[in-house]
Amino acid sequence: MQTVSTEFDTIAAISTPPGEGGISIIRISGVDALKTASQIYRGKDLNKVNSHTINYGHIIDPENGNEVDEVMVSVMRAPHTYTKEDIVEINCHGGIVATNRILQIILGLDARLAKPGEFTERAFLNGRIDLSQAEAVMDLIRAKTDQSMKVALDQLDGNLSHLITNLRQNILDVLAQVEVNIDYPEYDDVETMTARLLKEKAIEVKAKIQQLLSTAKQGKVLRDGLATAIIGHPNVGKSSILNHLLHEDKAIVTDVAGTTRDVIEEYVNVQGVPLKLVDTAGIHETEDKVEKIGVDRSRKALLQADLVILVLDSSVPLRDEDRELLRETNHMQRIVVLNKSDLEVKINLNELQEYVDDKEIIKSSAVSPLGTKDLEDRIAAMFFAGSIENTSNNIMVTNARHIGLLKQAETALDAVLEGIETGMPVDLVQIDMTRAWDLLGEITGDSYQDELLDQLFSQFCLGK
Ligand SMILES: Nc1nc2c(ncn2[C@@H]2O[C@H](COP(=O)(O)OP(=O)(O)OP(=O)(O)O)[C@@H](O)[C@H]2O)c(=O)[nH]1
Ligand SMILES: [Mg+2]
């Protein structure tokens, strides 16, 4: 891991969202940050001001000496900064023209435009945070609920990193002990002893990994949102249900079958569960070209869903298409909504029981809020089983990359255990143990490939 910040060139970017605002911030980081800012700033000598101060002045175009904007400039000297490099942040009036003009002037001097996430990448490369913490920065920015924000903040604080580092240290200790035993065998049964040592440690570390993985389902939902598809025959009330859950009239609702033609995606917080709610076009056989595309998209949304809300119209008998959807979604996490329950019930409830468990069914009516609260309660119960408050004490894994690596490490530990069980030589078992150590290291970024960094940080916002 590199720790010397002076190896990098100087970068700059606008760190606030594009568009008009009260203030925009242009951030410069690197060895030439102060030099660059000084060339365009009229006010105190930035090279002489104290670190971590904010200074009033003006930005001047060095080409013609014209004033560009009135600004406040923060000076933060290495190493106690976000990137561990010198950082200057120019707070200017939040207009598009002034902000871009200042950036352009800076880029004409000693800085180049930062890539997305490059400030955070430097924080990682300069050893201020590890990779899982860098990923938490993005999760924090994207968090959709208080709970997901809290989990991201815990990860940024290094809770997950500490746990992983401890596990790795445990493995390293045992590997060192194995080396000693092999090099200096004091007893005749050293091979047996060493195998036992490896076995004990593999069991211990595996248990901790499994405990972490048991938080993954909730964790992933908190981070990514629960992909929830509302599906059903045309005109059964899917869009009405979406609007109720959103508490606003987002989707068009009419009595014309086939009103929704494209998928509509919205985020909503249901009792702490972030839902990525997808309203879809009614699924049925159709010759209409546009509708057909809509139906294909509905099917795709269904395939990608973590949770399916299958809507049936209880005021009409069950149709073949309903039966088919009931069968198709049978293996999925599902809630079956009997909508239009304000009208006379014509659906055959006995037949319905052949397809669904009573527990999966909720009666609702979109003409009144009837059923919406039940639906919300059910969703929360399905995904947090009332345990959402408890997560404050637990370290959660939320990130698919981390989950994948933990699973692979678990597999490597299984190979250790199997190797010992089948009497494999200790130096071969050692290889799998080392592999578990390596895989865990990829979570914190102690070992990584450059492509991984490129891929991770390219998903960041510009200026972060
Ligand atoms: N009586 C009654 N009418 C409802 C209920 N829910 C929806 N409707 C009506 O049924 C019609 C269709 O509702 P939508 O929400 O547009 O149905 P949809 O499933 O999204 O329909 P498509 O987008 O065409 O597939 C509208 O006229 C709604 O007002 C309900 O619970 N009771
Ligand atoms: Mg609709």
Side-chain angles (χ1 to χ4, degrees):
M1 194 181 288
Q2 286 149 309
T3 47
V4 187
S5 56
T6 44
E7 283 184 28
F8 299 114
D9 56 355
T10 300
I11 52 173
I14 300 167
S15 284
T16 37
E20 288 174 18
I23 293 172
S24 285
I25 299 177
I26 298 138
R27 185 189 253 173
I28 317 171
S29 177
V31 267
D32 289 328
L34 277 160
K35 183 178 150 204
T36 308
S38 298
Q39 290 176 71
I40 59 165
Y41 174 75
R42 193 174 63 209
K44 282 186 198 160
D45 183 350
L46 294 179
N47 291 297
K48 293 194 180 137
V49 300
N50 287 334
S51 182
H52 293 76
T53 55
I54 187 155
N55 306 276
Y56 172 80
H58 290 85
I59 297 295
I60 307 294
D61 188 336
E63 271 195 7
N64 49 29
N66 289 344
E67 212 170 80
V68 181
D69 201 358
E70 182 191 33
V71 294
M72 298 290 287
V73 174
S74 307
V75 172
M76 292 162 276
R77 286 201 182 81
H80 298 296
T81 68
Y82 186 65
T83 53
K84 281 187 110 179
E85 302 171 334
D86 284 347
I87 288 186
V88 174
E89 284 181 0
I90 302 171
N91 294 238
C92 65
H93 289 118
I96 301 167
V97 177
T99 315
N100 280 318
R101 183 83 197 97
I102 297 171
L103 179 67
Q104 288 313 320
I105 296 173
I106 291 170
L107 297 180
L109 299 170
D110 298 302
R112 68 164 167 85
L113 185 64
K115 293 181 292 184
E118 197 169 2
F119 295 97
T120 310
E121 184 174 3
R122 286 199 176 179
F124 165 64
L125 291 172
N126 289 327
R128 196 179 78 79
I129 51 175
D130 73 15
L131 207 52
S132 74
Q133 288 173 302
E135 289 170 298
V137 170
M138 201 61 228
D139 293 350
L140 196 59
I141 294 171
R142 296 217 174 118
K144 304 249 169 2
T145 63
D146 289 349
Q147 190 68 25
S148 25
M149 193 182 83
K150 190 183 170 314
V151 175
L153 206 54
D154 282 349
Q155 194 177 315
L156 181 59
D157 279 348
N159 291 358
L160 179 67
S161 314
H162 289 150
L163 190 91
I164 299 293
T165 309
N166 275 340
L167 290 181
R168 293 188 85 219
Q169 191 56 48
N170 266 313
I171 296 179
L172 206 59
D173 289 347
V174 79
L175 285 173
Q177 189 60 47
V178 169
E179 286 295 332
V180 172
N181 286 3
I182 292 174
D183 291 348
Y184 306 101
E186 288 172 16
Y187 309 100
D188 295 338
D189 62 347
V190 70
E191 179 87 12
T192 324
M193 258 190 55
T194 311
R196 202 178 62 216
L197 211 65
L198 277 166
K199 184 177 172 182
E200 278 168 11
K201 197 52 76 177
I203 290 175
E204 188 187 316
V205 175
K206 187 182 159 185
K208 294 214 170 109
I209 289 179
Q210 283 179 328
Q211 201 259 322
L212 259 183
L213 281 171
S214 71
T215 68
K217 186 180 147 200
Q218 283 190 5
K220 200 167 170 307
V221 166
L222 281 178
R223 178 178 182 267
D224 300 336
L226 185 73
T228 306
I230 308 178
I231 61 150
H233 201 266
N235 218 34
V236 292
K238 298 178 295 300
S239 300
S240 307
I241 289 171
L242 173 98
N243 288 346
H244 273 298
L245 286 171
L246 293 177
H247 300 285
E248 74 175 285
D249 281 339
K250 200 86 192 185
I252 301 172
V253 169
T254 73
D255 55 4
V256 180
T259 299
T260 308
R261 298 219 152 186
D262 205 347
V263 290
I264 299 173
E265 270 185 25
E266 286 293 333
Y267 277 94
V268 61
N269 176 355
V270 170
Q271 299 177 16
V273 187
L275 295 196
K276 195 175 94 189
L277 209 52
V278 187
D279 181 22
T280 63
I283 295 180
H284 72 132
E285 282 299 321
T286 171
E287 288 310 312
D288 183 301
K289 204 167 150 190
V290 181
E291 232 190 329
K292 249 194 171 125
I293 298 172
V295 172
D296 285 347
R297 291 192 178 171
S298 302
R299 292 213 165 271
K300 201 165 149 216
L302 178 59
L303 282 177
Q304 292 170 346
D306 299 317
L307 169 67
V308 176
I309 299 179
L310 173 56
V311 186
L312 302 173
D313 180 347
S314 63
S315 71
V316 294
L318 215 54
R319 290 167 275 233
D320 274 347
E321 279 157 334
D322 296 326
R323 292 186 186 93
E324 200 174 306
L325 283 175
L326 281 161
R327 272 193 293 267
E328 247 177 78
T329 55
N330 192 30
H331 62 285
M332 302 183 75
Q333 303 249 36
R334 160 176 89 168
I335 298 173
V336 176
V337 174
L338 294 187
N339 197 36
K340 306 202 185 182
S341 61
D342 51 296
L343 305 176
E344 191 192 337
V345 178
K346 299 249 176 74
I347 201 165
N348 184 339
L349 293 171
N350 286 332
E351 190 198 343
L352 195 62
Q353 278 173 350
E354 291 172 23
Y355 298 96
V356 236
D357 199 284
D358 257 355
K359 290 200 292 281
E360 283 181 274
I361 297 176
I362 284 181
K363 285 195 182 128
S364 100
S365 165
V367 292
S368 69
L370 178 76
T372 307
K373 174 81 171 63
D374 288 348
L375 189 55
E376 290 174 345
D377 288 348
R378 183 71 59 87
I379 293 168
M382 271 174 103
F383 285 88
F384 292 114
S387 67
I388 189 155
E389 302 300 339
N390 302 344
T391 56
S392 54
N393 303 323
N394 288 338
I395 297 170
M396 295 188 100
V397 273
T398 59
N399 180 311
R401 192 182 75 84
H402 302 169
I403 295 167
L405 287 165
L406 284 170
K407 285 186 179 158
Q408 288 182 56
E410 190 188 4
T411 310
L413 292 171
D414 279 336
V416 169
L417 292 171
E418 199 188 313
I420 291 167
E421 223 45 65
T422 55
M424 211 186 256
V426 163
D427 47 350
L428 286 182
V429 176
Q430 233 180 330
I431 294 175
D432 286 316
M433 199 70 169
T434 310
R435 186 167 153 65
W437 182 79
D438 273 333
L439 287 161
L440 292 173
E442 282 184 46
I443 295 179
T444 47
D446 283 290
S447 49
Y448 64 87
Q449 310 274 331
D450 286 345
E451 300 86 69
L452 172 70
L453 291 197
D454 290 347
Q455 190 240 330
L456 276 185
F457 288 106
S458 65
Q459 297 165 22
F460 271 58
C461 323
L462 209 63
K464 189 69 212 178

